[in-house]
Amino acid sequence: QVQLQESGPGLVKPSETLSLTCVVSGYSISSAFYWGWIRRPPGKGLEWIGTVYHSGSTYYNPSLKSRVSISLDTSKNQFSLKLSSVTAADTAVYFCARHSGGYANFDYWGQGTLVTVSS
Amino acid sequence: QSVLTQPPSASGTPGQRVTISCSGSSSNIGSNYVYWYQQLPGMAPKLLIYRNNQRPSGVPDRFSGSKSGTSASLAISGLRSEDEADYYCAAWDDSLSGAVFGGGTQLTVL
């Protein structure tokens, strides 16, 4: 059974960098599939942040591209998100999920982690 | 402002049939599959419909999806109290080279 688990600080100060990690179990991320980050701000809908392919290629939401970096660590079977220069608008529940290339079929999800941006 | 447009809310009584619409454009729904997600309070989204109208194993056949042109819809028949959740449509967008979601529809079972 494929399982994903997010981890990282729950509180980040404005202008700093948000860093989250998603540990995958039950499947080798270097085998195939795309690995993505999605967030849901309070009172709002889901927003795709970006995706990393098992080869290391990345795809980012154009609205966040200048501040986002997603990378793989195949030795630990995990992938990570970095979002720089955060503001209160980046406060959200952040999810990691698996999908196929060119499809929005997020079939396995982490349980989500709340990140609050506040001083 | 979400790329895909959904009504913010929908409601029905137990046993009724409810439909939720999702409108997009030629670069997303018009040229790619549509997916639907159900998000219960405090939970991660769950894939409900894939490839426009296919149900993953374990999803009741009360849930059905359809697509026509640049629009799609999710229908829930025999509405039950446990169907009360937020529902999202999603598709890949060729212009953005990324996934796009609808703003979500909050379903209330009266």
Side-chain angles (χ1 to χ4, degrees):
Chain A
Q1 175 76 342
V2 180
Q3 293 185 314
L4 292 83
Q5 175 77 52
E6 306 91 347
S7 64
L11 181 64
V12 181
K13 289 182 168 56
S15 80
E16 294 190 344
T17 296
L18 178 160
S19 295
L20 296 175
T21 296
C22 181
V23 177
V24 180
S25 58
Y27 191 86
S28 171
I29 63 172
S30 60
S31 296
F33 287 102
Y34 290 65
W35 306 91
W37 288 95
I38 300 101
R39 68 181 182 180
R40 183 176 182 184
K44 296 187 177 182
L46 298 172
E47 178 182 36
W48 172 73
I49 300 169
T51 284
V52 59
Y53 186 38
H54 72 91
S55 66
S57 301
T58 52
Y59 306 82
Y60 299 133
N61 187 322
S63 69
L64 299 169
K65 188 173 184 177
S66 63
R67 300 193 291 130
V68 173
S69 175
I70 298 175
S71 60
L72 286 174
D73 185 341
T74 56
S75 67
K76 296 181 179 179
N77 213 43
Q78 65 186 37
F79 60 106
S80 299
L81 167 71
K82 291 188 186 299
L83 181 65
S84 63
S85 304
V86 297
T87 68
D90 294 310
T91 294
V93 176
Y94 286 75
F95 298 95
C96 57
R98 186 185 84 167
H99 70 108
S100 301
Y103 301 98
N105 62 332
F106 299 93
D107 56 357
Y108 289 98
W109 294 69
Q111 86 281 4
T113 186
L114 174 63
V115 179
T116 302
V117 178
S118 175
S119 55
Chain B
Q1 195 80 344
S2 301
V3 174
L4 305 181
T5 301
Q6 297 179 234
S9 64
S11 63
T13 56
Q16 271 191 331
R17 183 175 187 271
V18 171
T19 61
I20 297 171
S21 62
C22 176
S23 177
S25 67
S26 58
S27 64
N28 41 65
I29 293 179
S31 53
N32 292 294
Y33 290 121
V34 176
Y35 300 82
W36 289 92
Y37 296 88
Q38 177 193 59
Q39 187 174 26
L40 298 169
M43 304 288 286
K46 168 190 170 184
L47 183 61
L48 199 63
I49 296 288
Y50 68 98
R51 294 195 176 192
N52 303 334
N53 55 20
Q54 302 299 302
R55 286 185 306 277
S57 60
V59 174
D61 59 5
R62 301 186 297 106
F63 295 90
S64 62
S66 64
K67 170 185 152 178
S68 178
T70 59
S71 295
S73 63
L74 172 72
I76 309 172
S77 60
L79 201 60
R80 304 176 68 162
S81 59
E82 58 259 40
D83 298 333
E84 196 161 275
D86 294 326
Y87 292 84
Y88 294 89
C89 59
W92 194 260
D93 190 295
D94 293 332
S95 296
L96 300 176
S97 292
V100 291
F101 286 91
T105 298
Q106 184 176 49
L107 175 65
T108 301
V109 181
L110 302 169

